[in-house]
Amino acid sequence: MRSIPRSIFTALAAAMGLSLAACAAAPPPAPNAPAAPGDARAATPPPAPLPEEEAFAVRGTLKDEWLPLLKQAPFNPKSALVPPVPAGVPAPPAACEAFARRAPVAPARACGDAQGALDALDAALAEDDAARRDARLAGVETCAGLDAGLARALRAELAPVACGDAIAAPFLEAPPATLKGDLYQVLLGLTLSARLARTATEPPALRPPYDQQRVLAFTKGPLFTWVTDQARAIEDLGRLGVELPFYAKGIVAVESGRADMRLVEAVRSAPLPDAMRKDAELSNVYYAELDQLLEPWKTRGRDAALVGLRELSSVGVLRDPRVDGARAMLSRLYGGRRVDALDALELPPLPEAAVPSSGAERLAARLPTYYAGRLLPADAAARPELLRVLLGRGVPLQHRAALRTAQLSPEARLLYARARIELGRLYWRAVDFDQATALLTAWPEGTPRPPEATMLLALALGLRNGPEDAALMMRRAPLTGLGLGDLAALDWVARAKPASPYAGIAAYDAALIKQIAAPQGADARYWSDVAARFREAQALLTGPLAQAAEERARAADEVARTAR
């Protein structure tokens, strides 16, 4: 094997405090070429469905969710500290100045009691313009009916993430005595996550020409200094976040993980000497060794992001840019264990939510999940109208606790089961699939279970017994199998007579689960069965999903061919 100039690696290794010998990276998986169009293969047809009672039998114990007690943490204003900004962290963008200096717009009505404060918050969040909304939220900060610091936290939450400390830190520097401990922690978390969001974003650049002497000087000089400063800042900020609980910990951990990944990508994007870049063999050797060098950074970023996702799953978050960004990063860098693999599952269409008819419903539609849990009455979650709105952003922990003992109507039961499945596929949480199964098997007597509920139950059964969460799924090695994949109920829905309106998506989901759950070293017969299942789904579907089933069938055929 050809060798590369060691001076460049020596500089990078020194910057990261690592040695090449200390790291090992797995080789990337070889790409699978798609099968040629019309390439059909003989495969064992999927087995005939079991009788309904047997297909939908629940085997084993259904897990119950452990819900942490959200005790109010004590807060002493004299001990509250705002950590200094670490060296190397860029200042907030110029656009943050407007948020820091925003003149408040006073609420139109008195807000000294809880209801008045919620009404003022509702009116502020109704503003579509970010500047006007922020000004009205600044006015809500004066409402005695709202916990001190909550409106300030919301302002930091809804502003650009990099502006969080420009908004939250001044409040923490002179906190009111009435500030509650959990809001202090969230404000501190928003401050730390904003600083993390600004790290590893402005790497130094080297302009051509890229001769070896200039690249080496750049690597040992500006790049070395920048990597060292950014790595230290990310570590210091992340360490502070570890000490925080629940939502505050989650938002810091996610940003810490994303910052580490940006650092990795910045180093990989550093210029190579022209002679090395033009030599394919030499550049391949370089990047293989560089990936080994960067593996500890990737691992730290992955683990931090997974910690953050675990905390945000406990909060109940379903829609949030932080979650989307962390999952996209993990999927991009760990393609062999895609945290977004379950996103491709098809669920029955969800009817559009009605226009919110109450202040609670409007707030549920606009508030991030953590704040909805703090502000909206938990027992109201049993109302289908509010539960449907919560599905758009997340079902808070407080509301999930109340729903445990609530008497649910069939409509509310169906919506909550769907929310559980959505949480499960977003975070790979086994407990959510078990809870959806429990909700749908305990259907009210005397009320026929609609086809949509039967389809969701079949899907929940097919996803049971998998890993506890995304962290376990991604860290377990070797990946001998995920444990999920009891497809009897999905097969029943796909082949029931008279035909279910969801037969096509049931067949598609069964094929997809079998594909995702493939054990390491699955043989040709396994993959031929996957292909046959996708072709069964294709025959039942139309439009883009039928095309997707055909493409997946061809890919499975190709894997089967290479496995022979």
Side-chain angles (χ1 to χ4, degrees), residues 283-352:
S283 61
N284 286 339
V285 172
Y286 169 84
Y287 281 114
E289 294 197 23
L290 181 61
D291 284 339
Q292 290 183 350
L293 172 69
L294 296 173
E295 188 63 27
W297 248 249
K298 285 179 62 178
T299 300
R300 190 177 80 169
R302 177 202 68 188
D303 290 350
L306 290 171
V307 167
L309 290 177
R310 178 177 289 171
E311 294 295 333
L312 295 178
S313 73
S314 183
V315 175
V317 175
L318 280 172
R319 307 282 183 271
D320 187 279
R322 295 185 187 92
V323 174
D324 296 340
R327 294 174 80 247
M329 175 199 75
L330 290 168
S331 297
R332 184 171 67 251
L333 292 171
Y334 291 91
R337 300 185 184 184
R338 295 187 66 92
V339 73
D340 62 352
L342 299 181
D343 291 3
L345 290 168
E346 285 293 317
L347 273 65
L350 181 64
E352 289 290 329

Coordinates of all heavy atoms in Angstrom, one line a residue, residues 283-352:
S283 N -5.1 9.5 -2.6 CA -6.1 10.2 -1.9 C -7.0 9.2 -1.1 O -7.5 9.5 0.0 CB -6.9 11.0 -2.8 OG -7.6 10.3 -3.8
N284 N -7.3 8.0 -1.7 CA -8.1 7.0 -1.0 C -7.4 6.6 0.3 O -8.1 6.4 1.4 CB -8.3 5.8 -1.9 CG -9.4 6.1 -2.9 OD1 -10.2 7.1 -2.8 ND2 -9.4 5.3 -4.0
V285 N -6.1 6.4 0.2 CA -5.3 6.0 1.4 C -5.4 7.1 2.5 O -5.6 6.9 3.7 CB -3.9 5.7 1.1 CG1 -3.0 5.5 2.4 CG2 -3.8 4.5 0.2
Y286 N -5.3 8.4 2.0 CA -5.4 9.5 2.9 C -6.7 9.6 3.7 O -6.8 9.7 4.9 CB -5.1 10.8 2.1 CG -5.5 12.1 2.9 CD1 -4.5 12.6 3.8 CD2 -6.7 12.7 2.8 CE1 -4.8 13.8 4.5 CE2 -7.0 13.8 3.6 CZ -6.0 14.4 4.4 OH -6.3 15.5 5.1
Y287 N -7.8 9.5 2.9 CA -9.1 9.6 3.5 C -9.4 8.4 4.4 O -10.1 8.5 5.4 CB -10.2 9.8 2.5 CG -10.2 11.2 2.0 CD1 -9.9 11.5 0.6 CD2 -10.6 12.2 2.8 CE1 -9.9 12.8 0.2 CE2 -10.6 13.6 2.4 CZ -10.3 13.8 1.1 OH -10.3 15.1 0.6
A288 N -8.9 7.2 4.1 CA -9.1 6.1 5.0 C -8.4 6.3 6.3 O -9.0 6.0 7.4 CB -8.6 4.8 4.3
E289 N -7.2 6.8 6.3 CA -6.5 7.0 7.5 C -7.1 8.2 8.3 O -7.1 8.2 9.5 CB -5.0 7.3 7.2 CG -4.3 6.0 6.7 CD -2.8 6.1 6.8 OE1 -2.3 6.9 7.7 OE2 -2.1 5.4 6.1
L290 N -7.6 9.2 7.5 CA -8.2 10.4 8.2 C -9.5 10.0 8.9 O -9.7 10.4 10.0 CB -8.5 11.5 7.1 CG -9.1 12.7 7.7 CD1 -8.2 13.4 8.7 CD2 -9.5 13.7 6.5
D291 N -10.2 9.1 8.3 CA -11.5 8.6 8.9 C -11.2 7.9 10.2 O -11.9 8.0 11.2 CB -12.3 7.7 7.9 CG -13.0 8.5 6.9 OD1 -13.2 9.8 7.1 OD2 -13.3 8.0 5.8
Q292 N -10.1 7.1 10.2 CA -9.7 6.5 11.5 C -9.3 7.5 12.5 O -9.7 7.4 13.7 CB -8.5 5.6 11.2 CG -8.8 4.3 10.4 CD -7.6 3.4 10.3 OE1 -6.5 3.8 10.6 NE2 -7.8 2.2 9.8
L293 N -8.6 8.5 12.1 CA -8.3 9.6 13.0 C -9.5 10.3 13.6 O -9.6 10.6 14.8 CB -7.4 10.6 12.3 CG -7.1 11.9 13.0 CD1 -6.1 11.7 14.2 CD2 -6.5 12.9 12.1
L294 N -10.5 10.5 12.8 CA -11.7 11.2 13.2 C -12.8 10.3 13.9 O -13.7 10.9 14.4 CB -12.4 11.9 11.9 CG -11.5 12.9 11.2 CD1 -12.2 13.4 9.9 CD2 -11.3 14.1 12.1
E295 N -12.6 9.0 13.9 CA -13.6 8.2 14.5 C -14.0 8.5 15.9 O -15.2 8.5 16.2 CB -13.1 6.7 14.4 CG -14.2 5.7 14.7 CD -15.4 5.7 13.8 OE1 -15.2 6.1 12.6 OE2 -16.5 5.4 14.3
P296 N -13.0 8.8 16.8 CA -13.4 9.2 18.1 C -14.3 10.4 18.2 O -15.2 10.5 19.0 CB -12.1 9.4 18.9 CG -11.1 8.6 18.1 CD -11.6 8.7 16.7
W297 N -14.1 11.4 17.3 CA -14.9 12.6 17.2 C -16.3 12.2 16.7 O -17.3 12.7 17.2 CB -14.3 13.6 16.3 CG -13.8 14.8 17.1 CD1 -14.3 16.0 17.1 CD2 -12.7 14.8 18.0 NE1 -13.6 16.9 17.9 CE2 -12.7 16.1 18.5 CE3 -11.8 13.9 18.5 CZ2 -11.7 16.5 19.5 CZ3 -10.9 14.2 19.4 CH2 -10.9 15.5 19.9
K298 N -16.4 11.4 15.7 CA -17.7 10.9 15.2 C -18.4 10.2 16.3 O -19.6 10.4 16.5 CB -17.5 10.0 14.0 CG -17.2 10.6 12.7 CD -17.0 9.6 11.6 CE -18.2 8.8 11.3 NZ -18.1 7.9 10.2
T299 N -17.7 9.3 17.1 CA -18.4 8.5 18.1 C -18.9 9.5 19.2 O -20.0 9.3 19.7 CB -17.4 7.5 18.7 OG1 -17.0 6.6 17.7 CG2 -18.0 6.7 19.8
R300 N -18.1 10.5 19.6 CA -18.5 11.4 20.6 C -19.8 12.2 20.2 O -20.7 12.4 20.9 CB -17.4 12.4 21.0 CG -17.7 13.2 22.2 CD -16.6 14.1 22.7 NE -16.5 15.3 21.8 CZ -15.7 16.3 22.1 NH1 -15.0 16.3 23.2 NH2 -15.7 17.4 21.3
G301 N -19.7 12.6 18.9 CA -20.9 13.3 18.4 C -22.1 12.5 18.3 O -23.2 12.9 18.6
R302 N -21.9 11.2 17.8 CA -23.1 10.3 17.8 C -23.7 10.1 19.2 O -24.9 10.2 19.3 CB -22.6 9.0 17.2 CG -23.7 7.9 17.2 CD -23.1 6.5 17.1 NE -22.4 6.2 18.4 CZ -21.6 5.1 18.5 NH1 -21.5 4.2 17.5 NH2 -21.1 4.9 19.7
D303 N -22.8 9.8 20.1 CA -23.3 9.5 21.5 C -24.0 10.7 22.1 O -25.1 10.6 22.8 CB -22.2 9.1 22.4 CG -21.7 7.7 22.0 OD1 -22.3 7.0 21.2 OD2 -20.6 7.3 22.5
A304 N -23.5 11.9 21.9 CA -24.2 13.1 22.4 C -25.5 13.3 21.7 O -26.5 13.6 22.4 CB -23.3 14.3 22.2
A305 N -25.6 13.1 20.4 CA -26.9 13.3 19.7 C -27.9 12.3 20.2 O -29.1 12.6 20.4 CB -26.7 13.2 18.2
L306 N -27.4 11.0 20.5 CA -28.3 10.0 20.9 C -28.9 10.3 22.3 O -30.0 10.0 22.7 CB -27.7 8.6 20.9 CG -27.4 8.1 19.5 CD1 -26.5 6.9 19.5 CD2 -28.7 7.8 18.8
V307 N -28.0 10.8 23.2 CA -28.4 11.3 24.5 C -29.5 12.3 24.4 O -30.5 12.3 25.1 CB -27.2 11.8 25.4 CG1 -27.7 12.5 26.6 CG2 -26.3 10.6 25.8
G308 N -29.3 13.3 23.5 CA -30.3 14.3 23.3 C -31.6 13.8 22.8 O -32.7 14.2 23.3
L309 N -31.5 12.9 21.8 CA -32.8 12.3 21.3 C -33.5 11.5 22.4 O -34.8 11.6 22.4 CB -32.5 11.4 20.1 CG -32.0 12.1 18.8 CD1 -31.6 11.1 17.7 CD2 -33.1 13.1 18.3
R310 N -32.8 10.9 23.2 CA -33.5 10.1 24.3 C -34.2 11.1 25.2 O -35.4 10.8 25.6 CB -32.4 9.3 25.1 CG -33.0 8.5 26.3 CD -32.0 7.7 27.0 NE -31.6 6.6 26.2 CZ -30.6 5.8 26.4 NH1 -29.8 6.0 27.5 NH2 -30.3 4.7 25.7
E311 N -33.6 12.2 25.6 CA -34.3 13.2 26.5 C -35.5 13.8 25.8 O -36.5 14.0 26.4 CB -33.3 14.3 26.9 CG -32.2 13.8 27.8 CD -32.6 13.3 29.1 OE1 -33.7 13.7 29.6 OE2 -31.9 12.4 29.7
L312 N -35.3 14.1 24.5 CA -36.4 14.8 23.8 C -37.6 13.8 23.5 O -38.7 14.2 23.5 CB -35.9 15.3 22.4 CG -34.9 16.5 22.6 CD1 -34.4 17.0 21.2 CD2 -35.5 17.6 23.4
S313 N -37.3 12.5 23.4 CA -38.3 11.5 23.3 C -39.1 11.4 24.6 O -40.3 11.2 24.6 CB -37.7 10.1 23.0 OG -37.1 9.5 24.1
S314 N -38.4 11.6 25.8 CA -39.1 11.6 27.0 C -40.0 12.8 27.2 O -41.1 12.7 27.7 CB -38.1 11.5 28.2 OG -38.7 11.5 29.4
V315 N -39.5 13.9 26.6 CA -40.4 15.1 26.6 C -41.6 14.9 25.8 O -42.7 15.4 26.1 CB -39.6 16.3 26.1 CG1 -40.5 17.6 25.9 CG2 -38.4 16.7 27.0
G316 N -41.5 14.1 24.7 CA -42.6 13.8 23.9 C -42.6 14.5 22.6 O -43.6 14.6 21.9
V317 N -41.5 15.0 22.2 CA -41.4 15.9 21.0 C -41.5 15.0 19.7 O -40.9 14.0 19.5 CB -40.0 16.5 20.9 CG1 -39.8 17.3 19.6 CG2 -39.8 17.5 22.1
L318 N -42.4 15.5 18.8 CA -42.6 14.8 17.5 C -42.1 15.6 16.4 O -41.6 15.1 15.4 CB -44.1 14.5 17.3 CG -44.7 13.3 18.0 CD1 -46.2 13.2 17.8 CD2 -44.1 12.0 17.4
R319 N -42.2 16.9 16.4 CA -41.8 17.8 15.4 C -40.9 18.9 15.9 O -41.4 19.7 16.7 CB -43.0 18.5 14.6 CG -44.0 17.5 14.2 CD -43.7 16.8 12.9 NE -44.8 15.9 12.4 CZ -44.9 14.7 12.8 NH1 -44.1 14.1 13.6 NH2 -46.0 14.0 12.3
D320 N -39.6 18.9 15.5 CA -38.7 19.9 16.1 C -37.5 20.0 15.1 O -37.0 18.9 14.8 CB -38.3 19.6 17.5 CG -37.5 20.8 18.1 OD1 -36.3 20.8 17.9 OD2 -38.1 21.6 18.9
P321 N -37.0 21.1 14.7 CA -35.8 21.2 13.9 C -34.6 20.5 14.5 O -33.8 20.0 13.8 CB -35.6 22.7 13.7 CG -36.9 23.3 13.9 CD -37.6 22.5 15.0
R322 N -34.5 20.6 15.8 CA -33.3 19.9 16.5 C -33.3 18.4 16.2 O -32.3 17.8 15.9 CB -33.3 20.2 18.0 CG -33.2 21.6 18.4 CD -33.1 21.7 19.9 NE -33.1 23.0 20.4 CZ -34.2 23.7 20.8 NH1 -35.3 23.1 20.7 NH2 -34.1 25.0 21.2
V323 N -34.5 17.8 16.4 CA -34.7 16.4 16.2 C -34.4 16.0 14.7 O -33.6 15.1 14.4 CB -36.1 15.9 16.6 CG1 -36.3 14.4 16.2 CG2 -36.3 16.1 18.1
D324 N -34.9 16.8 13.8 CA -34.7 16.6 12.4 C -33.2 16.7 12.1 O -32.7 15.8 11.3 CB -35.5 17.6 11.6 CG -37.0 17.5 11.7 OD1 -37.5 16.4 12.2 OD2 -37.7 18.4 11.4
G325 N -32.5 17.7 12.6 CA -31.1 17.9 12.3 C -30.3 16.8 12.8 O -29.4 16.3 12.2
A326 N -30.6 16.3 14.1 CA -29.8 15.3 14.7 C -30.0 14.0 13.9 O -29.0 13.2 13.7 CB -30.1 15.1 16.1
R327 N -31.2 13.7 13.6 CA -31.5 12.4 12.9 C -30.8 12.4 11.5 O -30.3 11.4 11.0 CB -33.0 12.2 12.8 CG -33.6 11.9 14.1 CD -35.1 11.8 14.0 NE -35.6 10.5 13.6 CZ -36.2 10.3 12.4 NH1 -36.4 11.3 11.6 NH2 -36.5 9.0 12.1
A328 N -30.9 13.6 10.8 CA -30.3 13.7 9.5 C -28.8 13.5 9.5 O -28.2 12.8 8.7 CB -30.6 15.0 8.8
M329 N -28.2 14.0 10.6 CA -26.7 13.9 10.8 C -26.4 12.4 11.0 O -25.4 11.9 10.4 CB -26.3 14.8 11.9 CG -24.8 14.6 12.3 SD -24.5 15.2 14.0 CE -25.2 13.9 15.0
L330 N -27.1 11.8 11.9 CA -26.8 10.4 12.2 C -27.0 9.5 11.0 O -26.2 8.6 10.8 CB -27.7 9.9 13.4 CG -27.4 10.5 14.8 CD1 -28.5 10.2 15.7 CD2 -26.0 10.0 15.3
S331 N -28.0 9.8 10.2 CA -28.3 8.9 9.1 C -27.2 9.1 8.0 O -26.9 8.2 7.3 CB -29.7 9.3 8.5 OG -30.7 9.0 9.4
R332 N -26.7 10.4 7.9 CA -25.7 10.6 6.9 C -24.4 10.0 7.2 O -23.7 9.4 6.4 CB -25.5 12.2 6.8 CG -24.6 12.6 5.7 CD -24.6 14.1 5.5 NE -24.0 14.8 6.6 CZ -24.8 15.6 7.4 NH1 -26.1 15.6 7.3 NH2 -24.2 16.2 8.4
L333 N -24.0 10.0 8.5 CA -22.7 9.5 8.9 C -22.7 8.0 9.3 O -21.7 7.4 9.4 CB -22.2 10.3 10.1 CG -21.9 11.8 9.7 CD1 -21.5 12.6 10.9 CD2 -20.7 11.8 8.7
Y334 N -23.9 7.5 9.6 CA -24.0 6.1 10.0 C -25.1 5.4 9.1 O -26.1 4.9 9.6 CB -24.3 5.9 11.5 CG -23.2 6.4 12.4 CD1 -23.1 7.7 12.8 CD2 -22.2 5.5 12.7 CE1 -22.1 8.1 13.6 CE2 -21.2 5.9 13.6 CZ -21.1 7.2 14.0 OH -20.0 7.6 14.8
G335 N -24.8 5.4 7.8 CA -25.8 4.9 6.9 C -26.1 3.4 7.1 O -27.2 3.0 6.7
G336 N -25.2 2.6 7.6 CA -25.5 1.2 7.8 C -26.5 1.0 8.9 O -27.1 -0.1 9.0
R337 N -26.7 1.9 9.8 CA -27.7 1.8 10.9 C -28.6 3.1 10.9 O -28.5 3.9 11.8 CB -27.1 1.6 12.2 CG -26.2 0.3 12.2 CD -25.6 0.1 13.6 NE -24.7 -1.1 13.5 CZ -24.1 -1.6 14.5 NH1 -24.3 -1.1 15.7 NH2 -23.4 -2.7 14.4
R338 N -29.4 3.2 9.9 CA -30.1 4.4 9.7 C -31.2 4.6 10.8 O -32.1 3.9 10.9 CB -30.8 4.5 8.3 CG -29.8 4.5 7.2 CD -30.5 4.6 5.8 NE -31.0 6.0 5.7 CZ -30.4 7.0 5.2 NH1 -29.2 6.9 4.8 NH2 -31.0 8.2 5.1
V339 N -31.0 5.7 11.5 CA -32.0 6.1 12.5 C -33.3 6.5 11.9 O -34.3 6.4 12.6 CB -31.4 7.2 13.4 CG1 -31.4 8.5 12.7 CG2 -32.1 7.3 14.8
D340 N -33.3 6.8 10.6 CA -34.5 7.2 10.0 C -35.2 6.1 9.1 O -36.0 6.3 8.3 CB -34.3 8.4 9.1 CG -33.3 8.2 8.0 OD1 -32.7 7.1 8.0 OD2 -33.1 9.1 7.1
A341 N -34.7 4.8 9.3 CA -35.2 3.7 8.5 C -36.7 3.6 8.6 O -37.3 3.2 7.6 CB -34.5 2.4 8.9
L342 N -37.3 3.8 9.7 CA -38.7 3.6 9.9 C -39.6 4.7 9.3 O -40.8 4.6 9.3 CB -39.1 3.4 11.4 CG -38.4 2.2 12.1 CD1 -38.8 2.2 13.6 CD2 -38.7 0.9 11.4
D343 N -38.9 5.8 8.9 CA -39.7 6.9 8.3 C -40.4 6.4 7.0 O -41.4 7.0 6.7 CB -38.7 8.0 8.0 CG -38.2 8.7 9.2 OD1 -38.5 8.3 10.3 OD2 -37.4 9.7 9.0
A344 N -39.9 5.4 6.4 CA -40.5 5.0 5.1 C -41.7 4.2 5.3 O -42.4 3.9 4.3 CB -39.5 4.1 4.3
L345 N -42.1 3.8 6.5 CA -43.3 3.1 6.8 C -44.5 4.0 6.4 O -44.5 5.2 6.6 CB -43.4 2.7 8.3 CG -42.5 1.6 8.8 CD1 -42.5 1.6 10.3 CD2 -42.8 0.3 8.2
E346 N -45.6 3.3 5.9 CA -46.8 4.0 5.5 C -47.8 3.8 6.6 O -48.0 2.7 7.1 CB -47.3 3.5 4.2 CG -46.5 4.0 3.0 CD -46.7 5.5 2.7 OE1 -47.8 6.0 2.9 OE2 -45.6 6.1 2.5
L347 N -48.5 4.9 7.0 CA -49.6 4.9 7.9 C -50.8 5.3 7.2 O -50.8 6.0 6.2 CB -49.3 5.8 9.1 CG -48.5 5.2 10.3 CD1 -47.1 4.8 9.9 CD2 -48.5 6.2 11.5
P348 N -52.0 4.9 7.7 CA -53.2 5.4 7.1 C -53.2 6.9 7.1 O -52.7 7.6 8.0 CB -54.3 4.9 8.0 CG -53.7 3.6 8.6 CD -52.3 3.9 8.8
P349 N -53.8 7.6 6.1 CA -53.9 9.0 6.1 C -54.5 9.6 7.3 O -55.5 9.1 7.9 CB -54.7 9.3 4.8 CG -54.7 8.1 4.0 CD -54.5 7.0 5.0
L350 N -53.9 10.7 7.8 CA -54.4 11.4 9.0 C -55.3 12.5 8.6 O -54.8 13.4 7.9 CB -53.3 11.8 9.9 CG -53.6 12.5 11.2 CD1 -54.3 11.6 12.1 CD2 -52.4 13.1 11.9
P351 N -56.5 12.6 8.9 CA -57.4 13.7 8.5 C -56.8 15.0 9.0 O -56.2 15.1 10.1 CB -58.7 13.4 9.1 CG -58.7 11.9 9.4 CD -57.3 11.6 9.7
E352 N -57.0 16.1 8.2 CA -56.6 17.4 8.6 C -57.2 17.8 9.9 O -58.4 17.5 10.2 CB -56.9 18.4 7.6 CG -56.1 18.3 6.3 CD -54.7 18.7 6.5 OE1 -54.4 19.6 7.3 OE2 -53.8 18.1 5.8

